[in-house]
Short mmCIF file of all heavy atoms in Angstrom, two decimals:
data_model
loop_
_atom_site.label_atom_id
_atom_site.label_comp_id
_atom_site.label_asym_id
_atom_site.label_seq_id
_atom_site.Cartn_x
_atom_site.Cartn_y
_atom_site.Cartn_z
N SER L 20 -71.53 -49.25 -120.64
CA SER L 20 -72.64 -48.51 -120.05
C SER L 20 -73.72 -49.50 -119.66
O SER L 20 -74.13 -50.33 -120.48
CB SER L 20 -73.20 -47.50 -121.07
OG SER L 20 -74.30 -46.79 -120.52
N ALA L 25 -83.56 -51.19 -108.71
CA ALA L 25 -83.84 -51.91 -107.47
C ALA L 25 -85.08 -51.34 -106.82
O ALA L 25 -85.46 -50.19 -107.08
CB ALA L 25 -82.65 -51.83 -106.51
N VAL L 61 -118.73 -33.65 -93.46
CA VAL L 61 -117.44 -34.30 -93.68
C VAL L 61 -116.45 -33.91 -92.59
O VAL L 61 -115.74 -34.78 -92.04
CB VAL L 61 -116.88 -33.91 -95.07
CG1 VAL L 61 -115.39 -34.23 -95.17
CG2 VAL L 61 -117.64 -34.65 -96.17
N TYR L 88 -125.53 -32.69 -122.46
CA TYR L 88 -125.74 -32.76 -123.90
C TYR L 88 -126.99 -33.59 -124.19
O TYR L 88 -127.14 -34.71 -123.69
CB TYR L 88 -124.53 -33.37 -124.59
CG TYR L 88 -123.35 -32.42 -124.64
CD1 TYR L 88 -122.43 -32.37 -123.60
CD2 TYR L 88 -123.19 -31.55 -125.71
CE1 TYR L 88 -121.36 -31.48 -123.63
CE2 TYR L 88 -122.13 -30.65 -125.75
CZ TYR L 88 -121.22 -30.63 -124.71
OH TYR L 88 -120.17 -29.74 -124.75
N ASP L 90 -129.08 -34.79 -127.57
CA ASP L 90 -129.10 -34.86 -129.04
C ASP L 90 -128.00 -34.01 -129.67
O ASP L 90 -128.20 -33.35 -130.69
CB ASP L 90 -130.47 -34.44 -129.59
CG ASP L 90 -131.59 -35.36 -129.14
OD1 ASP L 90 -131.31 -36.55 -128.93
OD2 ASP L 90 -132.73 -34.88 -128.97
N GLY L 91 -126.84 -34.00 -129.00
CA GLY L 91 -125.70 -33.27 -129.54
C GLY L 91 -125.67 -31.80 -129.18
O GLY L 91 -124.70 -31.10 -129.51
N ASP L 92 -126.70 -31.30 -128.52
CA ASP L 92 -126.75 -29.89 -128.14
C ASP L 92 -126.43 -29.73 -126.66
O ASP L 92 -126.85 -30.53 -125.82
CB ASP L 92 -128.14 -29.30 -128.43
CG ASP L 92 -128.45 -29.26 -129.91
OD1 ASP L 92 -127.48 -29.12 -130.70
OD2 ASP L 92 -129.63 -29.38 -130.28
N ALA L 102 -115.97 -29.11 -103.68
CA ALA L 102 -114.96 -28.93 -102.63
C ALA L 102 -114.10 -30.19 -102.59
O ALA L 102 -114.62 -31.30 -102.48
CB ALA L 102 -115.60 -28.69 -101.27
N LEU L 111 -104.63 -47.16 -90.06
CA LEU L 111 -104.85 -47.97 -91.26
C LEU L 111 -106.04 -48.90 -91.09
O LEU L 111 -106.82 -49.12 -92.03
CB LEU L 111 -103.59 -48.78 -91.59
CG LEU L 111 -102.31 -47.97 -91.81
CD1 LEU L 111 -101.18 -48.90 -92.25
CD2 LEU L 111 -102.51 -46.87 -92.82
N ALA L 153 -76.43 -53.11 -108.45
CA ALA L 153 -76.90 -53.98 -109.53
C ALA L 153 -76.22 -53.62 -110.85
O ALA L 153 -75.82 -54.50 -111.62
CB ALA L 153 -78.41 -53.86 -109.67
N GLU L 163 -65.80 -59.37 -117.28
CA GLU L 163 -65.18 -60.68 -117.10
C GLU L 163 -65.36 -61.55 -118.34
O GLU L 163 -64.42 -62.22 -118.79
CB GLU L 163 -65.79 -61.37 -115.89
CG GLU L 163 -65.22 -62.76 -115.62
CD GLU L 163 -65.94 -63.47 -114.49
OE1 GLU L 163 -66.90 -62.88 -113.92
OE2 GLU L 163 -65.56 -64.60 -114.18
N GLY L 170 -63.06 -50.40 -114.91
CA GLY L 170 -62.23 -49.32 -114.38
C GLY L 170 -63.05 -48.30 -113.61
O GLY L 170 -64.04 -48.64 -112.96
N VAL L 178 -82.22 -42.21 -113.24
CA VAL L 178 -83.33 -42.55 -114.12
C VAL L 178 -84.60 -42.65 -113.29
O VAL L 178 -84.60 -43.28 -112.23
CB VAL L 178 -83.07 -43.88 -114.85
CG1 VAL L 178 -84.25 -44.24 -115.75
CG2 VAL L 178 -81.79 -43.81 -115.66
N ARG L 189 -87.29 -54.09 -116.35
CA ARG L 189 -87.68 -54.59 -115.04
C ARG L 189 -86.82 -55.77 -114.59
O ARG L 189 -86.55 -55.96 -113.43
CB ARG L 189 -89.15 -54.98 -115.07
CG ARG L 189 -89.72 -55.38 -113.73
CD ARG L 189 -91.22 -55.43 -113.76
NE ARG L 189 -91.78 -54.09 -113.93
CZ ARG L 189 -93.08 -53.86 -114.05
NH1 ARG L 189 -93.93 -54.84 -114.02
NH2 ARG L 189 -93.51 -52.63 -114.21
N MET L 215 -78.19 -45.25 -114.67
CA MET L 215 -77.28 -45.64 -115.76
C MET L 215 -75.87 -45.30 -115.32
O MET L 215 -75.60 -44.16 -114.90
CB MET L 215 -77.61 -44.87 -117.05
CG MET L 215 -78.91 -45.29 -117.72
SD MET L 215 -78.86 -46.95 -118.45
CE MET L 215 -77.54 -46.75 -119.65
#
Side-chain angles (χ1 to χ4, degrees):
S20 179
V61 163
Y88 287 89
D90 297 329
D92 294 330
L111 302 185
E163 179 185 1
V178 179
R189 187 166 292 177
M215 289 291 299

